[in-house]
Amino acid sequence: MARTVLATLPGSAPYQRLQVALEQADQGGLMICLCEQHHAEGIGWFTQRSMQLEPRQWAQLQGVLGMSEAREALDADDEDAPATLPFPGPDGPRRFRHAVGDGSA
């Protein structure tokens, strides 16, 4: 099977990646193959799972990702959130009311 790697994208962890490849399908056409790969000591990179997309599906996926709503959502998710929790400052002066019948007035 003929296979051409188009891109290798870093994953969410240091030993993970996504490989995008062009493969020849059984019927002779071309397919885009998305492979989630992991790395293990002594083995190297191996495909954990994969998905093949037909050219029509690939074009539809590109169209969806190119929509402004998708770009905005992806850009917002890419922003780093603060890594610290806000710490409340000191409380202001409190006024206490005595309970009825506690004898202090």
Side-chain angles (χ1 to χ4, degrees), residues 76-100:
D77 190 47
D78 195 30
E79 295 175 5
D80 292 332
T84 57
L85 297 174
F87 187 77
D91 287 339
R94 291 188 181 186
R95 295 186 184 179
F96 293 98
R97 292 187 346 184
H98 295 284
V100 175

Side-chain angles (χ1 to χ4, degrees), residues 5-86:
V5 175
L6 301 175
T8 302
L9 310 173
S12 58
Y15 296 105
Q16 294 179 3
R17 69 183 185 183
L18 177 68
Q19 193 173 73
V20 182
L22 189 61
E23 292 184 352
Q24 189 169 358
D26 295 335
Q27 300 83 12
L30 295 176
M31 306 274 286
I32 296 289
C33 183
L34 304 175
C35 298
E36 179 186 344
Q37 295 185 329
H38 293 213
H39 187 273
E41 194 65 37
I43 298 174
W45 289 102
F46 62 95
T47 299
Q48 183 71 23
R49 62 183 134 216
S50 65
M51 171 188 280
Q52 285 77 25
L53 299 173
E54 297 173 355
R56 177 183 51 80
Q57 292 173 308
W58 179 250
Q60 290 172 336
L61 179 61
Q62 287 177 310
V64 168
L65 295 176
M67 295 171 52
S68 61
E69 296 86 5
R71 281 194 310 256
E72 289 171 9
L74 291 170
D75 288 343
D77 190 47
D78 195 30
E79 295 175 5
D80 292 332
T84 57
L85 297 174

